[in-house]
Amino acid sequence: MRFEERVVALLRASGEAMTDAEIARALGVVHQQVNAVCRRLAAAGVIVRDDAGLPVRNHLPDSLRVVRGLPAPSEVREVADVSERAVRQRLVDWLLADGWKVVRVADARSRERGTDVVVERGARTLHVEVEGFPGSRYADPARAGEVRRTLPAVQARSEFAAALLKGLQLRQAHPDDAVALALPDRLTHRRNLESVASVFPRMGLTVFLVGDDGAVEARWGDQLPVQR
């Protein structure tokens, strides 16, 4: 795979706007190489370089055009499934491995109402609100193949805010239990978390960052599972 293709595949798989430095770290190359390639891709209309703020961020347009042999959208394979259903399953597997007993797991496909995940271990009960990461196309079968008008990273910020509200509602409803948000481990979510890092511990909320490989990083909140 040519380096230009690797950059396009990374941006498509992440669904986020990324700086030259972030792309360089992800691909294990020097910043200057990424900068030169991203400028060429932007000039060709393959990517967009957003210079409204610094540092400049790169993202895909609404559709990925084939230019000089670059892969079309259907030819770029997603790195991992980061739908709410997939993130929920990885989290539940991790919790079970750490000795928690499942009380409830909501059905994401049927959009079942209520708490997404409830587990128990000894005298502890944990309530978790789970969010996925939006793709570049709609998940709704009725709109299959239709490209979203909103960039996934922008949509993810709205969904993060909704998850935070639900987490606070769970915190109020279950003052004696542990409450957590579970999010796929993506740059957009890490940036959102950093913007409110000082207040999360005071809210009594734990955050689970769920990796594509099933590893989970727990931050803030109560002392909860540590993966063995």
Side-chain angles (χ1 to χ4, degrees), residues 2-102:
R2 292 162 44 201
F3 186 68
E4 289 89 345
E5 295 173 338
R6 293 176 62 198
V7 171
V8 172
L10 175 65
L11 290 174
R12 184 167 181 78
S14 71
E16 309 175 47
M18 300 178 69
T19 67
D20 292 352
E22 289 167 343
I23 294 173
R25 284 195 297 271
L27 298 180
V29 298
V30 297
H31 180 278
Q32 291 85 348
Q33 182 181 2
V34 172
N35 181 267
V37 167
C38 285
R39 287 176 181 274
R40 289 201 301 271
L41 290 172
V46 178
I47 69 172
V48 176
R49 284 177 66 80
D50 184 358
D51 58 359
L54 293 177
V56 174
R57 297 188 182 281
N58 306 283
H59 63 79
L60 296 183
D62 286 346
S63 61
L64 181 60
R65 296 180 294 168
V66 177
V67 177
R68 295 180 183 176
L70 289 178
S74 61
E75 297 171 326
V76 180
R77 185 166 56 89
E78 296 291 338
V79 171
D81 183 355
V82 287
S83 64
E84 181 180 330
R85 179 186 58 81
V87 173
R88 184 176 303 175
Q89 187 59 57
R90 292 187 193 110
L91 176 70
V92 169
D93 289 345
W94 183 75
L95 290 167
L96 287 171
D98 203 66
W100 292 79
K101 177 183 177 182
V102 173

Side-chain angles (χ1 to χ4, degrees), residues 71-153:
S74 61
E75 297 171 326
V76 180
R77 185 166 56 89
E78 296 291 338
V79 171
D81 183 355
V82 287
S83 64
E84 181 180 330
R85 179 186 58 81
V87 173
R88 184 176 303 175
Q89 187 59 57
R90 292 187 193 110
L91 176 70
V92 169
D93 289 345
W94 183 75
L95 290 167
L96 287 171
D98 203 66
W100 292 79
K101 177 183 177 182
V102 173
V103 176
R104 166 191 166 83
V105 177
D107 184 352
R109 290 179 177 175
S110 65
R111 299 182 181 180
E112 182 181 357
R113 294 180 179 274
T115 307
D116 290 330
V117 176
V118 181
V119 292
E120 294 178 345
R121 187 172 66 180
R124 302 298 307 280
T125 300
L126 169 64
H127 307 259
V128 188
E129 171 68 12
V130 182
E131 283 293 336
F133 196 89
S136 58
R137 298 178 184 273
Y138 290 98
D140 186 346
R143 308 183 72 175
E146 185 178 343
V147 177
R148 287 180 181 270
R149 293 181 178 273
T150 305
L151 285 172

